[in-house]
Amino acid sequence: SGCNRFTGSWKQDGRTITLGKFASTMMACPPPIMEVEHRFLTTLEAVNTATYTEAGEAILSAPDGRKLLLRRPPEPPE
């Protein structure tokens, strides 16, 4: 999530996502990183819809319009 590690459960039924409770470590990082992490985690808590792009990216959407774009990192060259 930027600074800390987090874990939680989730369930998907079609486009609807239900996220369980999340837990995270509590390490302190520089304020700009903590701000990004806070925005990410609060958006993730509000997510209830998932759509997918042709490239396989997941777009997680919250009812208030906030979105997260999730994509796999590129494979390392062999």
Side-chain angles (χ1 to χ4, degrees):
S1 63
C3 174
N4 290 282
R5 295 178 184 257
F6 72 97
T7 185
S9 62
W10 64 281
K11 184 171 86 173
Q12 183 174 353
D13 182 14
R15 291 184 56 192
T16 301
I17 287 183
T18 304
L19 300 174
K21 296 287 184 186
F22 284 90
S24 72
T25 58
M26 301 289 286
M27 297 184 304
C29 293
I33 294 172
M34 294 300 294
E35 175 59 29
V36 169
E37 179 175 87
H38 174 74
R39 288 194 329 246
F40 170 75
L41 291 174
T42 56
T43 300
L44 187 59
E45 289 175 352
V47 162
N48 69 348
T49 304
T51 56
Y52 299 91
T53 68
E54 289 183 20
E57 300 164 327
I59 302 170
L60 306 180
S61 303
D64 62 6
R66 291 179 289 167
K67 295 180 190 272
L68 295 172
L69 174 65
L70 306 178
R71 60 180 149 215
R72 289 190 172 115
E75 293 290 325
E78 293 183 19

